[in-house]
CSV table of all heavy atoms in Angstrom, one decimal:
chain,number,residue,atom,x,y,z
A,1,LEU,N,-8.5,-54.3,17.8
A,1,LEU,CA,-8.1,-55.2,18.9
A,1,LEU,C,-8.6,-54.7,20.2
A,1,LEU,O,-9.2,-55.3,21.0
A,1,LEU,CB,-6.6,-55.6,18.9
A,1,LEU,CG,-6.1,-56.4,20.0
A,1,LEU,CD1,-5.0,-57.3,19.4
A,1,LEU,CD2,-5.8,-55.9,21.3
A,2,ARG,N,-8.4,-53.4,20.3
A,2,ARG,CA,-8.7,-52.7,21.7
A,2,ARG,C,-10.3,-52.6,21.9
A,2,ARG,O,-10.7,-52.7,22.9
A,2,ARG,CB,-8.1,-51.3,21.7
A,2,ARG,CG,-6.5,-51.4,21.9
A,2,ARG,CD,-5.8,-50.0,21.9
A,2,ARG,NE,-4.4,-50.2,22.1
A,2,ARG,CZ,-3.5,-49.3,22.0
A,2,ARG,NH1,-3.9,-48.0,21.7
A,2,ARG,NH2,-2.3,-49.5,22.2
A,3,LEU,N,-11.0,-52.5,20.7
A,3,LEU,CA,-12.4,-52.6,20.8
A,3,LEU,C,-12.8,-54.0,21.2
A,3,LEU,O,-13.8,-54.3,22.1
A,3,LEU,CB,-13.1,-52.3,19.4
A,3,LEU,CG,-13.4,-50.8,19.1
A,3,LEU,CD1,-13.9,-50.9,17.7
A,3,LEU,CD2,-14.5,-50.4,20.0
A,4,ALA,N,-12.2,-55.1,20.7
A,4,ALA,CA,-12.5,-56.5,21.1
A,4,ALA,C,-12.2,-56.6,22.6
A,4,ALA,O,-12.9,-57.3,23.3
A,4,ALA,CB,-11.6,-57.4,20.3
A,5,LYS,N,-11.1,-56.0,23.1
A,5,LYS,CA,-10.8,-56.1,24.5
A,5,LYS,C,-11.8,-55.5,25.3
A,5,LYS,O,-12.3,-56.1,26.4
A,5,LYS,CB,-9.5,-55.6,24.8
A,5,LYS,CG,-8.8,-55.6,26.2
A,5,LYS,CD,-7.5,-55.2,26.3
A,5,LYS,CE,-7.2,-53.8,25.8
A,5,LYS,NZ,-5.8,-53.3,26.1
A,6,GLU,N,-12.3,-54.3,24.9
A,6,GLU,CA,-13.3,-53.6,25.7
A,6,GLU,C,-14.6,-54.5,25.9
A,6,GLU,O,-15.3,-54.5,26.9
A,6,GLU,CB,-13.8,-52.3,25.1
A,6,GLU,CG,-12.7,-51.3,25.1
A,6,GLU,CD,-13.1,-50.0,24.4
A,6,GLU,OE1,-14.3,-49.8,24.1
A,6,GLU,OE2,-12.2,-49.1,24.1
A,7,MET,N,-14.9,-55.4,24.8
A,7,MET,CA,-16.1,-56.2,24.8
A,7,MET,C,-15.8,-57.5,25.6
A,7,MET,O,-16.8,-58.2,25.7
A,7,MET,CB,-16.4,-56.5,23.3
A,7,MET,CG,-17.0,-55.3,22.5
A,7,MET,SD,-17.6,-55.8,21.0
A,7,MET,CE,-16.1,-56.5,20.2
A,8,GLY,N,-14.7,-57.7,26.0
A,8,GLY,CA,-14.4,-58.9,26.7
A,8,GLY,C,-14.2,-60.1,25.8
A,8,GLY,O,-14.6,-61.4,26.1
A,9,ALA,N,-13.7,-59.9,24.5
A,9,ALA,CA,-13.6,-61.1,23.5
A,9,ALA,C,-12.7,-62.1,24.1
A,9,ALA,O,-11.7,-61.9,24.7
A,9,ALA,CB,-13.1,-60.5,22.3
A,10,LYS,N,-13.0,-63.4,23.7
A,10,LYS,CA,-12.1,-64.5,24.3
A,10,LYS,C,-10.8,-64.6,23.4
A,10,LYS,O,-9.8,-64.8,23.8
A,10,LYS,CB,-12.8,-66.0,24.1
A,10,LYS,CG,-14.0,-66.1,25.0
A,10,LYS,CD,-14.7,-67.4,24.8
A,10,LYS,CE,-15.9,-67.5,25.7
A,10,LYS,NZ,-16.5,-68.9,25.5
A,11,ASN,N,-10.9,-64.2,22.2
A,11,ASN,CA,-9.7,-64.2,21.2
A,11,ASN,C,-9.9,-63.3,20.0
A,11,ASN,O,-11.0,-63.1,19.5
A,11,ASN,CB,-9.4,-65.6,20.6
A,11,ASN,CG,-8.0,-65.8,20.2
A,11,ASN,OD1,-7.1,-65.6,20.8
A,11,ASN,ND2,-7.9,-65.9,18.8
A,12,TYR,N,-8.6,-62.6,19.8
A,12,TYR,CA,-8.6,-61.7,18.5
A,12,TYR,C,-7.7,-62.4,17.6
A,12,TYR,O,-6.6,-62.5,17.9
A,12,TYR,CB,-8.2,-60.3,19.0
A,12,TYR,CG,-8.1,-59.3,17.8
A,12,TYR,CD1,-9.1,-58.5,17.6
A,12,TYR,CD2,-6.8,-59.3,17.0
A,12,TYR,CE1,-8.9,-57.5,16.4
A,12,TYR,CE2,-6.8,-58.4,16.1
A,12,TYR,CZ,-7.8,-57.5,15.7
A,12,TYR,OH,-7.8,-56.7,14.7
A,13,PHE,N,-8.2,-62.7,16.4
A,13,PHE,CA,-7.3,-63.3,15.4
A,13,PHE,C,-7.0,-62.4,14.3
A,13,PHE,O,-7.9,-61.6,13.9
A,13,PHE,CB,-8.1,-64.5,14.8
A,13,PHE,CG,-7.3,-65.0,13.5
A,13,PHE,CD1,-6.3,-66.0,13.7
A,13,PHE,CD2,-7.7,-64.6,12.3
A,13,PHE,CE1,-5.6,-66.4,12.5
A,13,PHE,CE2,-7.0,-65.1,11.2
A,13,PHE,CZ,-5.9,-65.9,11.2
A,14,CYS,N,-5.9,-62.1,13.9
A,14,CYS,CA,-5.4,-61.4,12.7
A,14,CYS,C,-4.7,-62.2,11.7
A,14,CYS,O,-3.7,-62.9,12.1
A,14,CYS,CB,-4.7,-60.2,13.3
A,14,CYS,SG,-4.6,-58.9,12.0
A,15,VAL,N,-4.9,-62.1,10.5
A,15,VAL,CA,-4.2,-62.7,9.4
A,15,VAL,C,-2.8,-62.0,9.2
A,15,VAL,O,-2.8,-60.8,9.1
A,15,VAL,CB,-4.9,-62.8,8.1
A,15,VAL,CG1,-5.1,-61.5,7.3
A,15,VAL,CG2,-4.2,-63.8,7.2
A,16,SER,N,-1.7,-62.7,9.1
A,16,SER,CA,-0.4,-62.2,8.7
A,16,SER,C,0.0,-62.9,7.4
A,16,SER,O,-0.9,-63.0,6.6
A,16,SER,CB,0.7,-62.5,9.8
A,16,SER,OG,1.9,-62.0,9.6
A,17,THR,N,1.2,-63.0,7.2
A,17,THR,CA,1.7,-63.5,5.8
A,17,THR,C,3.0,-64.1,6.0
A,17,THR,O,3.8,-63.8,6.9
A,17,THR,CB,1.8,-62.3,4.9
A,17,THR,OG1,2.4,-62.8,3.7
A,17,THR,CG2,2.6,-61.2,5.4
A,18,ASP,N,3.4,-65.0,5.1
A,18,ASP,CA,4.6,-65.7,5.1
A,18,ASP,C,5.7,-64.7,4.8
A,18,ASP,O,6.9,-64.7,5.1
A,18,ASP,CB,4.6,-66.9,4.0
A,18,ASP,CG,4.2,-66.3,2.5
A,18,ASP,OD1,3.1,-65.7,2.5
A,18,ASP,OD2,5.2,-66.4,1.7
A,19,LYS,N,5.3,-63.6,4.2
A,19,LYS,CA,6.3,-62.4,3.8
A,19,LYS,C,6.6,-61.7,5.0
A,19,LYS,O,7.6,-60.8,5.0
A,19,LYS,CB,5.6,-61.6,2.8
A,19,LYS,CG,5.3,-62.2,1.5
A,19,LYS,CD,4.5,-61.3,0.5
A,19,LYS,CE,4.5,-62.1,-0.8
A,19,LYS,NZ,3.6,-63.3,-0.8
A,20,ALA,N,6.0,-62.0,6.2
A,20,ALA,CA,6.5,-61.4,7.4
A,20,ALA,C,7.7,-62.1,8.0
A,20,ALA,O,8.4,-61.4,9.0
A,20,ALA,CB,5.4,-61.3,8.5
A,21,ALA,N,8.1,-63.3,7.5
A,21,ALA,CA,9.3,-64.0,8.0
A,21,ALA,C,10.4,-63.4,7.1
A,21,ALA,O,10.5,-63.6,5.9
A,21,ALA,CB,9.2,-65.4,7.8
A,22,ASN,N,11.5,-62.7,7.8
A,22,ASN,CA,12.5,-62.0,7.1
A,22,ASN,C,12.1,-61.2,5.9
A,22,ASN,O,12.3,-61.5,4.8
A,22,ASN,CB,13.5,-63.1,6.6
A,22,ASN,CG,14.2,-63.8,7.7
A,22,ASN,OD1,14.6,-63.2,8.8
A,22,ASN,ND2,14.4,-65.3,7.6
A,23,PRO,N,11.3,-60.2,6.1
A,23,PRO,CA,10.6,-59.5,5.1
A,23,PRO,C,11.5,-58.8,4.1
A,23,PRO,O,12.7,-58.4,4.5
A,23,PRO,CB,9.7,-58.5,5.9
A,23,PRO,CG,10.4,-58.2,7.2
A,23,PRO,CD,11.0,-59.6,7.5
A,24,ALA,N,11.2,-58.9,2.9
A,24,ALA,CA,12.0,-58.1,1.8
A,24,ALA,C,11.2,-57.0,1.1
A,24,ALA,O,11.7,-56.4,0.3
A,24,ALA,CB,12.4,-59.1,0.8
A,25,ASN,N,9.9,-56.9,1.5
A,25,ASN,CA,9.1,-55.7,1.0
A,25,ASN,C,8.4,-55.0,2.1
A,25,ASN,O,8.2,-55.5,3.2
A,25,ASN,CB,8.3,-56.4,-0.2
A,25,ASN,CG,7.4,-57.5,0.4
A,25,ASN,OD1,6.5,-57.4,1.1
A,25,ASN,ND2,7.6,-58.6,-0.2
A,26,MET,N,7.8,-54.0,1.7
A,26,MET,CA,7.1,-53.1,2.7
A,26,MET,C,5.9,-53.7,3.2
A,26,MET,O,5.5,-53.6,4.4
A,26,MET,CB,6.8,-51.6,2.3
A,26,MET,CG,8.1,-50.9,1.7
A,26,MET,SD,9.2,-50.5,3.0
A,26,MET,CE,8.4,-49.2,3.6
A,27,MET,N,5.2,-54.5,2.4
A,27,MET,CA,4.0,-55.1,2.8
A,27,MET,C,4.2,-56.3,3.9
A,27,MET,O,3.6,-56.2,4.9
A,27,MET,CB,3.3,-55.8,1.6
A,27,MET,CG,1.9,-56.4,1.9
A,27,MET,SD,1.9,-57.9,2.9
A,27,MET,CE,2.4,-59.0,1.4
A,28,GLY,N,5.2,-57.1,3.5
A,28,GLY,CA,5.6,-58.1,4.5
A,28,GLY,C,6.1,-57.5,5.8
A,28,GLY,O,5.8,-57.9,6.9
């Protein structure tokens, strides 16, 4: 992300997961 910022990127997208909502495991 910081590399993207240095280049002046309009947007940085990153995939998350449904498991990040109230996570029950280390991956989420």
Side-chain angles (χ1 to χ4, degrees):
L1 182 147
R2 290 177 178 172
L3 269 176
K5 180 170 61 177
E6 288 177 20
M7 294 185 295
K10 293 181 180 178
N11 194 66
Y12 178 95
F13 170 86
C14 194
V15 68
S16 185
T17 173
D18 58 304
K19 295 174 178 63
N22 294 317
N25 54 64
M26 302 295 279
M27 189 282 289

